Amino acid sequence: MISLPTVFIAGLLLATTVTTAPQSPPEGGLEKLEASVIEHQLENGWTFLIVPRAGVPVVSFHTYIDVGGIFEDPGATGMAHMFEHMAFKGSRRLGSKDWSLEKRALSDVDKAYAGLEAVRLAGSAGAISQAEARFTSAQDRAARLVQPEAFSKLLEEAGGSGSLNASTSAEETNYVVSLPSNRLELWCWLERERFADPVLREFYKERDAVLEERRMRVESDPFGALIEQLLGTAFTKHPYRRPVIGYAEDLTRFSRTQAEEFYAKNYGVRRFTTAIVGDVDPKTLVPMLESYFGDFEPGPEPTTVDIVEPTQEAERRVEVEFPAMPIVIAAWHIPGKSHADTTSLEIGLSILGQAQASRLNESLIRNRGLGAEIGSFSGLPGDRYPNLAVVYGIPAPGVPIESLEAGIFEVMTKLQADGPTDEELAGAKTRARANLLRGLASNEDLAASLCEWKSKSGDWHNLFRQTEVVAAVTAKDIQRVFAKYFTKDNRTIATLVPLQETTGGL
Amino acid sequence: MKLSRPLAALALCIATLAAGAQNAELPASPSEIKAPSFKTFVAQPPTRLEVHSASGDFAAPLLIIEDHQLPLVFGLLLFEAGSLREPEDKSGLADLYVEGLREGGCSEFTGAEFNSWLDSHAVELSMQMTQDHLRISFSCLREDLEGTLLRVGQLLRSPAFDGRAVEVGRMQILNGIARAKEDSAELATQAMNRVLFGNTSHFGRSATAASVSSIAIDDLKKYHDSNVGLDRVTVGISGDVTAAMGVDIATQALGGLGLVGTASALPTPVFWSPERTTIYVVDRPGVPQTELLLGGIGVRIDDPSHAPLTLWSYVVGAGGMSNRITQRVRTDLGLAYMVGCGFSGGLARPGQFYAYCGTRNEAVGDALSEMLEVITATGSEIIPKEELNAARARLLGSQVFRYDSADEQLERAMTLQVNALPSTFWETNLDRLRQVTPSSVAMAVRNHIPPARFLCVAVGPADEIIPYLETVANVVLLSEDTPIANSSKDAQQAIDTMFTVLGGKERWRDLTSVYTEQVAKITYKAGTAEVPVLQWRTFEPLQIRMRQRMMSGLFFTNVISKGEGWLQAPSGVSSVSADSIQVWKTQMQRWIYYTLHRLAQDESSITVSIDSEGRIVLTEDSGQLCWITLDSLGRPASMGVEERGASKVYTYEEWSEADGFPYISRFKEGENQTIEVSKFVPNVEIEEGTFSL
């Protein structure tokens, strides 16, 4: 036997030395894991889900906020995502060289930007140029008072450099980081600063960075460009039709003041769920959470989106010209996550296009050679409200996109008519169970799943009930939901049409 | 306290929130937080077992880490194979092999039956080819470990490479090749490999439609038979499995694999560094954003410069947002969303330096200038200790997350196993990072990040971006026909560049004698020894006098001059045999300084070329003289010679200067000798009688 590989973490004082397996030993499996989840809701409505996991001395933090793109005002698309970026910019006492001076400088930036916007609407070229110069000058003065990346720096130097992140979707915003477990109070301190006292400094430079993100994800990416048009066509009323990253026209217009308004309107802590999973002791953690977060006001009453997407009456089509090879995406309106049909739809889509030997793979790629890549999923662009189930395909070289599209519908029609085989259904259920287990394995994934189920279903226990719900699905259920939702009138087809012969490359 | 306000009071909202945010009972700043000590963590070592062959005469290593929290198992098989072992004219073979293996079935089941079984048991199976390994990994429910591994074993024992499955795989690879043209980052990586390593290098080539189309099923079978056997695999299992169960199942599944013999040696990459910063533009019309990629040589992880360079990369562009490039290009200027730099690889061979940025087309010149400025600035400064410590904290603080699951611990252990590294390797590496100082960073950057000689690739609409890029550096529009500097016809250019870096040809032409004082540190099975050596050499004629103190403490002196040789030992002076004189003469002819002297003379008897690995090959009528590789600055990095029927490689680890004359101050001879040169005198005056005894 060779000597043990030891890993000592740098720069930390020695205390207890723990030799350990990565996770706790087996004692009851899922039931034990479920029983170990502690829910603690503060009086203000902020919910914390705590899962102590002995073993490696690390903790994953996941703050999930029920705020996403669908809560944005018209003309300010992308604001939820923009605020997510700004939530790393620090507070009055974190990130400023002199807050009293910076406060005035930021006010000057706001005024200069308002002035610039005003002359852009009605001013001469010379006036615009002068206003731009004033705006640039105001930004430069404010920038000189900033301590760069003070917020991120503290978390990164505490061990969070590989995990510090955030994301925004149509209906939620997530802030995540994993740290060594002795940094628990640092996380509390910073999360409090982030949400109690955010200062939206360096706003317009960050807005430029977000525009670059849009160029990367949407304007230079064939799938990104196609999805944006698909959503805009499939939804006519519901805000799911708007891109989370925002339209370029809005991104170049909205202001720092609007971002502050968005925060004040939407970031009430009753919309907050935070999961903390890892090497923690609830006895010390809960009082700490009360100290750091108990004095937040509940904030505005959480709102919901009342707009109902009208029933689609006829097939819709949209073509996007793009310098790329063809893609086809077919999308059907389906109900939101809490609807009784959701699980049957998910199992059906798994059989249709999510497995190695899925119907689409076997028929259209392996047997008929029509496609190079095909798949299916649901929940586009979110799943809290009625959303889209999607089948996408990339034709094999030389295959007309119409042939692939027709092939997709043939396979779906057959699955609807014949229903899945017993083996297919059993396999899909087994995959659902295995995927549930895989999603519980890491601290990060468990924290994310608990937050999502708590927020979207109202009870995180539903995460652990999924295998039972899945087990109840029958072949007839799948036939029924396919017949109900995957109709011609209910679908939108988006195709990417090559703009020109792709000449790039080597 | 009020942390939220009605919309009517929005104008006051932020200020009011801020006032409330300062709770007097809580620390006013993070520095006031008393963090408890970190629980020093010792990773669980794997249980080391073996998979014995059916005949019992061979055993492959098996590593198992038990983790019983969830009823899941992770498996990993690493075969010493890899894309670097695909034939030169069959780029893409390794990928097609994987498709054929994965989908093509075997004598026990078809590909469709295999997929159905995996689906019905929720097994996630992945087969990939890295440069060095065929990597097969799977995740399954506990009860399916046996079924999964047995089927994988059957597939590996008798793959059918079914023709239809291979053709589907070929179609998907061809589609991927075509689709890569729609991915700026992928295009940039391909172009960078091409210009950095050369068209003909294993490291620079990309699969093409033609190369993939030319691969036959027999090629796949041949590759399999040459590379996939029990004697090439390392097996790992982690999760809800006991060691006894793991070894039993692995032996059943894999013990029947045949033996295929020792793996062929892999090529060493030779990097190219242009004489001046050069931007290669790949045209991607119609996109609003340009992808910029800077590239250059990295170092092996065991190189003394690796730790300083790694830490430097965290100062400049890695490890989150708190680095200079992100601060400058993204935060200050808003020019990019994705921007940064780092080093890749380094375990099996020198890794690669890269820096990247995606920016709007009209800003491409500004973004590139800023990146270059940030990077080059660090070459002429001593990075403040506080900044270096902050980078170190970011790097070291997150190390624990490399061990926070059984699967990750297994991956780390497997990496050590397949690279034959000691169990203390990771810890030693961390220690090196802890010891990095501002001055060691400065030295490493000076040696490895050449200013004004960057290689850059820009992928975007050529017409739009070239005018901006031309304000920054030399621009070359890259197409399939563009000559690449690192090709055989440019071998002479490489040599010319080398002499420019080494102070000009003339000084090497004029170099006629050398005196050195050095210590050879020799590693034996039984231990190490240090042998001090004094050398006098002349080139015209070739003569040497070498005086060394042997381990015994006794001094010996060799002299070879004008076809004669003598050895002076404590017992007296004796003549050297003719055979030994010939060996000495060959060695003298292939000494790096003498080789450079001859090259500087433009001797017509020496022809130069660049081989498929990008090495400069020197050939005479009598055969290959040697090969030379160059480092990022263009100096000799290594030399390979044939000595007594065996290959020997000299690795030049450190260059210094003596009165302005560059010389190698530390080098390795073979695997077990490291020579430190303490004194180097070029064109030394030779006293009469030096070359006689």
Side-chain angles (χ1 to χ4, degrees):
Chain A
M1 181 69 74
I2 66 162
S3 61
L4 306 184
T6 52
V7 180
F8 296 101
I9 305 307
L12 300 161
L13 296 174
L14 296 180
T16 315
T17 297
V18 184
T19 304
T20 178
Q23 307 286 0
S24 302
E27 284 175 34
L30 278 187
E31 295 76 15
K32 181 176 168 57
L33 183 59
E34 183 177 356
S36 71
V37 180
I38 297 164
E39 179 171 352
H40 180 79
Q41 188 173 55
L42 304 180
E43 275 189 27
N44 54 30
W46 189 334
T47 300
F48 288 86
L49 302 170
I50 301 162
V51 187
R53 272 183 156 175
V56 183
V58 295
V59 189
S60 291
F61 304 91
H62 190 120
T63 294
Y64 179 108
I65 302 167
D66 283 341
V67 176
I70 56 175
F71 296 100
E72 292 158 351
D73 294 328
T77 58
M79 186 59 87
H81 174 244
M82 184 68 206
F83 186 82
E84 172 228 296
H85 278 236
M86 298 315 296
F88 289 80
K89 293 294 184 182
S91 60
R92 287 182 305 162
R93 54 186 176 179
L94 185 64
S96 182
K97 290 176 181 168
D98 183 327
W99 171 242
S100 63
L101 290 178
E102 191 190 9
K103 184 181 175 186
R104 283 202 292 276
L106 288 173
S107 175
D108 290 345
V109 170
D110 293 340
K111 287 175 192 161
Y113 186 73
L116 174 59
E117 285 295 280
V119 295
R120 271 181 180 156
L121 288 174
S124 64
I128 292 172
S129 178
Q130 285 178 359
E132 283 176 342
R134 281 195 293 274
F135 177 52
T136 302
S137 171
Q139 284 191 92
D140 290 345
R141 285 196 301 276
R144 284 195 286 274
L145 295 164
V146 174
Q147 280 186 329
E149 304 295 351
F151 183 91
S152 300
K153 200 166 184 285
L154 280 168
L155 285 169
E156 288 170 358
E157 290 174 18
S161 65
S163 60
L164 180 60
N165 212 338
S167 63
T168 308
S169 76
E171 51 209 9
E172 83 235 9
T173 307
N174 298 279
Y175 297 91
V176 300
V177 69
S178 295
L179 295 171
S181 54
N182 64 330
R183 301 297 188 166
L184 194 59
E185 189 170 0
L186 174 68
W187 174 83
C188 290
W189 196 94
L190 288 167
E191 202 76 341
R192 177 184 173 83
E193 290 294 294
R194 165 183 268 168
F195 295 124
D197 186 27
V199 172
L200 310 192
R201 50 174 64 95
E202 299 170 316
F203 180 85
Y204 296 98
K205 294 298 180 191
E206 192 64 27
R207 197 182 68 173
D208 287 342
V210 171
L211 272 161
E212 291 299 341
E213 186 178 358
R214 179 183 162 82
R215 290 187 186 98
M216 181 185 80
R217 295 193 194 280
V218 178
E219 296 168 18
S220 299
D221 182 83
F223 265 104
L226 194 57
I227 291 280
E228 184 169 294
Q229 293 303 315
L230 170 72
L231 292 173
T233 305
F235 293 100
T236 57
K237 301 283 187 197
H238 194 276
Y240 271 164
R241 72 190 309 274
R242 306 187 302 226
V244 173
I245 198 161
Y247 296 115
E249 296 75 19
D250 294 346
L251 288 172
T252 53
R253 281 298 172 88
F254 61 46
S255 67
R256 201 180 80 90
T257 312
Q258 283 175 282
E260 288 179 342
E261 290 168 4
F262 180 86
Y263 161 74
K265 180 180 173 186
N266 292 292
Y267 267 64
V269 298
R270 281 181 286 188
R271 285 179 132 149
F272 285 34
T273 303
T274 297
I276 301 174
V277 180
D279 178 33
V280 293
D281 179 359
K283 285 181 193 158
T284 55
L285 174 58
V286 169
M288 197 183 288
L289 298 175
E290 289 282 0
S291 297
Y292 275 92
F293 306 112
D295 58 358
F296 278 65
E297 282 291 309
E301 187 71 28
T303 54
T304 56
V305 173
D306 298 328
I307 299 168
V308 176
E309 178 65 24
T311 302
Q312 187 169 324
E313 302 290 354
E315 182 188 75
R316 296 176 192 151
R317 284 187 176 265
V318 60
E319 279 190 358
V320 177
E321 287 192 334
F322 199 86
M325 288 160 39
I327 302 169
V328 59
I329 304 179
W332 292 262
H333 292 279
I334 58 170
K337 191 177 181 73
S338 57
H339 195 277
D341 288 344
T342 295
T343 306
S344 300
L345 279 164
E346 286 174 350
I347 294 293
L349 288 168
S350 170
I351 293 166
L352 178 68
Q354 293 174 7
Q356 287 296 328
S358 71
R359 292 281 182 107
L360 290 170
N361 275 347
E362 280 300 311
S363 172
L364 303 185
I365 296 180
R366 295 197 180 93
N367 294 335
R368 297 169 65 185
L370 295 176
E373 284 180 42
I374 306 179
S376 62
F377 62 93
S378 59
L380 182 75
D383 59 7
R384 190 183 294 265
Y385 300 96
N387 55 85
L388 298 177
V390 167
V391 176
Y392 64 91
I394 294 174
V399 173
I401 201 158
E402 296 79 13
S403 303
L404 177 60
E405 183 187 314
I408 289 170
F409 298 146
E410 283 172 30
V411 172
M412 294 180 75
T413 303
K414 184 167 172 50
L415 180 56
Q416 180 192 320
D418 302 344
T421 64
D422 291 346
E423 190 184 2
E424 282 176 325
L425 187 58
K429 291 178 179 180
T430 306
R431 289 196 296 280
R433 174 174 167 253
N435 288 339
L436 167 68
L437 292 171
R438 289 180 182 120
L440 304 176
S442 75
N443 292 343
E444 295 93 328
D445 291 348
L446 176 57
S449 296
L450 286 170
C451 284
E452 185 173 358
W453 280 94
K454 164 67 183 169
S455 176
K456 287 187 176 172
S457 78
D459 185 353
W460 56 266
H461 286 93
N462 291 329
L463 168 65
F464 296 92
R465 300 286 84 75
Q466 271 311 288
T467 47
E468 298 157 26
V469 177
V470 165
V473 173
T474 66
K476 282 197 183 326
D477 289 333
I478 291 170
Q479 286 180 281
R480 179 181 58 77
V481 296
F482 265 55
K484 181 176 178 183
Y485 298 106
F486 294 126
T487 63
K488 183 178 180 185
D489 289 348
N490 189 36
R491 76 189 178 206
T492 302
I493 313 292
T495 47
L496 189 138
V497 180
L499 179 63
Q500 59 188 61
E501 187 65 25
T502 304
T503 56
L506 304 175
Chain B
M1 131 180 194
K2 299 291 181 188
L3 291 178
S4 298
R5 291 291 188 235
L7 286 175
L10 276 177
L12 299 172
C13 180
I14 298 300
T16 310
L17 291 174
Q22 292 177 5
N23 184 329
E25 294 170 8
L26 298 174
S29 84
S31 60
E32 293 177 17
I33 296 171
K34 291 177 184 168
S37 299
F38 183 75
K39 294 175 191 167
T40 305
F41 162 64
V42 181
Q44 184 189 14
T47 301
R48 292 175 182 276
L49 301 160
E50 291 178 332
V51 178
H52 287 272
S53 62
S55 59
D57 56 2
F58 187 84
L62 167 65
L63 281 59
I64 294 180
I65 294 181
E66 295 186 34
D67 170 18
H68 302 283
Q69 179 170 281
L70 293 167
L72 293 169
V73 179
F74 170 70
L76 178 59
L77 279 64
L78 292 175
F79 286 91
E80 204 176 350
S83 62
L84 291 175
R85 291 191 171 90
E86 66 189 8
E88 208 167 287
D89 57 343
K90 303 280 183 189
S91 287
L93 183 145
D95 288 337
L96 187 56
Y97 166 81
V98 165
E99 292 294 329
L101 179 68
R102 170 75 178 74
E103 301 289 332
C106 59
S107 53
E108 287 86 358
F109 47 77
T110 66
E113 288 167 344
F114 185 47
N115 281 327
S116 292
W117 189 88
L118 294 175
D119 284 349
S120 61
H121 291 79
V123 179
E124 290 183 351
L125 175 70
S126 165
M127 292 189 183
Q128 295 172 303
M129 199 67 87
T130 68
Q131 286 187 325
D132 304 81
H133 292 97
L134 165 62
R135 178 192 162 92
I136 301 175
S137 63
F138 61 85
S139 162
C140 65
L141 295 166
R142 171 182 53 200
E143 59 269 26
D144 293 321
L145 172 62
E146 184 173 5
T148 303
L149 203 48
L150 286 177
R151 281 169 177 78
V152 169
Q154 288 168 334
L155 204 59
L156 291 167
R157 270 202 306 277
S158 57
F161 295 111
D162 171 72
R164 185 169 181 78
V166 170
E167 289 315 310
V168 170
R170 194 193 310 271
M171 177 270 290
Q172 291 183 310
I173 290 171
L174 291 173
N175 179 67
I177 290 171
R179 288 272 165 191
K181 294 178 180 176
E182 298 161 11
D183 182 339
S184 293
E186 177 61 28
L187 275 178
T189 301
Q190 286 183 12
M192 178 56 73
N193 287 341
R194 186 174 159 213
V195 297
L196 195 55
F197 299 105
N199 279 336
T200 56
S201 162
H202 271 92
F203 298 91
R205 285 194 303 263
S206 297
T208 63
S211 69
V212 172
S213 299
S214 75
I215 298 164
I217 288 179
D218 278 348
D219 294 323
L220 307 183
K221 289 179 177 171
K222 194 173 168 188
Y223 182 90
H224 180 84
D225 293 342
S226 305
N227 292 291
V228 181
L230 188 64
D231 48 349
R232 294 279 193 88
V233 69
T234 299
V235 185
I237 304 174
S238 61
D240 195 9
V241 60
T242 63
M245 186 194 304
V247 72
D248 188 39
I249 293 173
T251 301
Q252 273 187 66
L254 305 171
L257 286 179
L259 305 182
V260 295
T262 309
S264 57
L266 289 173
T268 305
V270 177
F271 294 81
W272 183 257
S273 180
E275 284 183 79
R276 57 184 171 139
T277 297
T278 303
I279 306 162
Y280 289 89
V281 171
V282 177
D283 188 22
R284 189 183 171 204
V287 291
Q289 190 176 67
T290 295
E291 181 79 15
L292 290 168
L293 181 62
L294 292 165
I297 189 171
V299 292
R300 282 178 60 106
I301 200 167
D302 53 0
D303 186 291
S305 295
H306 186 269
L309 287 175
T310 302
L311 213 47
W312 169 81
S313 73
Y314 270 66
V315 170
V316 175
M321 302 287 285
S322 325
N323 59 68
R324 292 188 184 188
I325 286 187
T326 302
Q327 177 63 41
R328 183 68 188 149
V329 178
R330 176 175 163 157
T331 309
D332 292 350
L333 299 172
L335 291 177
Y337 169 65
M338 297 284 281
V339 60
C341 77
F343 288 91
S344 63
L347 261 177
R349 59 188 65 84
Q352 203 169 323
F353 168 68
Y354 61 88
Y356 58 91
C357 169
T359 190
R360 54 192 179 276
N361 297 333
E362 63 272 23
V364 69
D366 292 339
L368 181 58
S369 295
E370 294 292 341
M371 290 172 75
L372 292 173
E373 194 175 313
V374 169
I375 293 169
T376 51
T378 55
S380 56
E381 69 165 276
I382 298 292
I383 292 169
K385 198 172 180 181
E386 300 72 31
E387 190 177 7
L388 199 65
N389 284 339
R392 195 185 337 253
R394 281 187 283 131
L395 177 56
L396 296 180
S398 60
Q399 292 298 310
V400 66
F401 295 102
R402 295 178 179 232
Y403 296 89
D404 70 346
S405 75
D407 303 353
E408 284 170 278
Q409 291 187 16
L410 181 70
E411 292 258 15
R412 300 279 278 183
M414 294 277 280
T415 300
L416 297 183
Q417 180 73 31
V418 299
N419 288 285
L421 295 167
S423 59
T424 54
F425 178 81
W426 299 121
E427 189 187 341
T428 304
N429 200 39
L430 292 180
D431 276 340
R432 286 182 181 153
L433 289 165
R434 292 182 190 112
Q435 288 159 16
V436 169
T437 63
S439 58
S440 67
V441 171
M443 182 179 290
V445 171
R446 275 201 299 275
N447 282 335
H448 295 279
I449 309 293
R453 294 182 60 196
F454 287 99
L455 202 51
C456 177
V457 165
V459 180
D463 291 348
E464 283 184 57
I465 63 176
I466 284 178
Y468 297 110
L469 293 171
E470 281 176 335
T471 66
V472 182
N474 179 43
V475 174
V476 176
L477 181 61
L478 193 63
S479 71
E480 287 179 5
D481 303 325
T482 306
I484 300 299
N486 196 8
S487 60
S488 58
K489 66 182 179 183
D490 291 308
Q492 191 58 53
Q493 185 190 331
I495 290 170
D496 291 344
T497 304
M498 176 187 74
F499 278 121
T500 302
V501 174
L502 295 178
K505 260 186 182 177
E506 285 176 12
R507 62 165 47 175
W508 292 91
R509 193 184 300 143
D510 297 337
L511 181 69
T512 56
S513 62
V514 173
Y515 168 74
T516 65
E517 293 179 6
Q518 58 196 43
V519 175
K521 294 178 181 173
I522 307 168
T523 306
Y524 298 94
K525 274 188 180 174
T528 59
E530 292 196 354
V531 179
V533 182
L534 309 181
Q535 284 187 62
W536 294 258
R537 298 197 192 211
T538 65
F539 295 164
E540 293 160 5
L542 266 179
Q543 300 179 107
I544 187 169
R545 179 189 180 96
M546 181 183 288
R547 177 176 165 78
Q548 48 191 324
R549 192 186 69 205
M550 306 307 281
M551 282 190 295
S552 58
L554 302 174
F555 286 90
F556 289 77
T557 301
N558 285 90
V559 171
I560 307 293
S561 173
K562 300 172 187 171
E564 295 186 80
W566 301 273
L567 170 65
Q568 184 177 49
S571 56
V573 177
S574 58
S575 295
V576 176
S577 70
D579 286 347
S580 293
I581 290 172
Q582 188 55 42
V583 170
W584 275 92
K585 194 176 168 187
T586 303
Q587 288 180 338
M588 288 155 67
Q589 285 172 335
R590 291 174 181 178
W591 199 40
I592 182 67
Y593 297 102
Y594 182 62
T595 303
L596 294 174
H597 169 69
R598 291 185 70 193
L599 280 172
Q601 289 181 309
D602 294 322
E603 281 190 22
S604 58
S605 61
I606 300 178
T607 58
V608 296
S609 62
I610 292 184
D611 69 10
S612 62
E613 309 312 327
R615 303 177 297 200
I616 300 169
V617 178
L618 310 184
T619 314
E620 287 184 304
D621 290 344
S622 55
Q624 182 175 315
L625 192 61
C626 65
W627 55 256
I628 296 173
T629 67
L630 305 182
D631 66 14
S632 56
L633 295 177
R635 305 168 304 194
S638 63
M639 182 168 83
V641 297
E642 292 290 319
E643 277 187 10
R644 301 181 207 185
S647 299
K648 180 181 261 188
V649 176
Y650 295 84
T651 308
Y652 308 122
E653 295 182 327
E654 186 178 277
W655 284 78
S656 300
E657 289 190 356
D659 292 329
F661 200 105
Y663 75 95
I664 299 156
S665 50
R666 186 178 68 241
F667 65 97
K668 272 188 176 167
E669 182 177 344
E671 289 297 315
N672 61 351
Q673 283 197 52
T674 299
I675 293 95
E676 302 269 1
V677 180
S678 57
K679 189 168 185 180
F680 178 90
V681 185
N683 293 319
V684 65
E685 283 193 23
I686 305 291
E687 290 180 16
E688 202 172 340
T690 299
F691 297 108
S692 62
L693 285 172

